[in-house]
Amino acid sequence: MKFKSSHEHWPLRGKFPHTPFAYIDCFTEAECDDFIRLMERFKSNEIKGQVQQSPEAEKNNVRDCFVNFMPTHEPSFHWIFERISKSTLNLNEQFYRYDVDEIETIQFTTYLGTQRSHYGQHLDHLSLGAVCRKLSCVVQLSDPNDYEGGELVLYLPNKTVVPKKRGTIIMFPSFTPHAVYPVTKGKRYSAVSWILGPPFK
């Protein structure tokens, strides 16, 4: 979906020193609850997460989680798409200034402690015809007290664990290696999106 132009600048929580990721408070606790409840209505559309159609990765159990895609045609989701769009545009404008023009359909992901759901080290960067994934964004939707494990880790090249604070959106270049450690207890919900633009030159 194409971005709507925005000149609004939200107050940023900041960028960690010497690491190529930025973050911002995006949703309140109540809004995170609303987001999760809305997606639960479409649980019948949930599928097992895949790794870009990679049979080898599937065989090696690189990814074990469940995903659903936000139905952007539903009016009840418009505020979520607008919030994520504005947040990602502002983070890009203030920290990266990449040439971007659209966002992929937002993915809602569930990690279950009962099966040690995880996503091993991988890259999100992907060419999609005339555009490519340039920035990855992760919204932390669960209260960190509701699950154990499930840390989002970036390799920069040193291992860096990003904040778990509920409602924050984390942005980093899609060519950054990263992983989600196994959830050992409870459930971890997150929303993931990828910001697209012309290939890097």
Side-chain angles (χ1 to χ4, degrees):
M1 297 184 68
K2 295 291 184 181
F3 282 123
K4 296 178 180 178
S5 61
S6 171
H7 299 290
E8 178 183 4
H9 284 271
W10 292 7
L12 299 181
R13 288 184 56 81
K15 181 178 179 181
F16 276 46
H18 314 301
T19 62
F21 75 91
Y23 66 109
I24 187 174
D25 286 332
C26 186
F27 296 100
T28 65
E29 297 250 352
E31 288 170 339
C32 289
D33 288 337
D34 289 341
F35 193 159
I36 293 168
R37 276 195 294 267
L38 283 169
M39 289 305 304
E40 287 293 318
R41 288 169 39 197
F42 294 87
K43 195 170 180 62
S44 60
N45 297 331
E46 190 175 72
I47 60 173
K48 193 176 186 327
Q50 298 179 336
V51 187
Q52 299 175 11
Q53 309 301 321
S54 170
E56 188 65 25
E58 292 294 328
K59 184 176 73 173
N60 294 329
N61 194 30
V62 171
R63 188 180 191 187
D64 187 354
C65 59
F66 294 93
V67 301
N68 203 342
F69 294 92
M70 195 177 85
T72 50
H73 60 281
E74 292 281 340
S76 55
F77 286 92
H78 289 176
W79 68 275
I80 295 173
F81 179 78
E82 183 176 352
R83 184 76 57 82
I84 292 176
S85 295
K86 285 183 177 180
S87 297
T88 54
L89 276 173
N90 276 285
L91 286 171
N92 178 54
E93 288 170 7
Q94 297 190 46
F95 289 120
Y96 301 100
R97 297 189 177 277
Y98 288 171
D99 183 8
V100 299
D101 52 25
E102 59 184 304
I103 182 171
E104 281 192 59
T105 301
I106 295 163
Q107 177 182 281
F108 179 81
T109 310
T110 303
Y111 293 85
L112 301 174
T114 53
Q115 60 190 58
R116 295 183 63 85
S117 293
H118 64 277
Y119 198 165
Q121 186 173 334
H122 64 285
L123 305 175
D124 289 341
H125 185 67
L126 180 68
S127 293
L128 302 166
V131 297
C132 69
R133 287 179 177 174
K134 289 190 167 181
L135 292 162
S136 298
C137 306
V138 179
V139 181
Q140 305 276 29
L141 291 173
S142 291
D143 186 323
N145 295 316
D146 290 342
Y147 65 98
E148 295 178 4
E151 292 85 0
L152 172 60
V153 177
L154 309 183
Y155 299 91
L156 306 164
N158 296 323
K159 182 178 74 175
T160 301
V161 179
V162 304
K164 276 188 170 184
K165 183 185 176 186
R166 192 180 197 197
T168 55
I169 185 167
I170 314 293
M171 174 182 276
F172 53 91
S174 295
F175 49 77
T176 305
H178 60 286
V180 177
Y181 280 9
V183 173
T184 57
K185 184 178 180 181
K187 290 183 183 180
R188 176 185 181 265
Y189 296 108
S190 64
V192 182
S193 62
W194 300 275
I195 311 307
L196 309 178
F200 289 108
K201 296 181 180 179

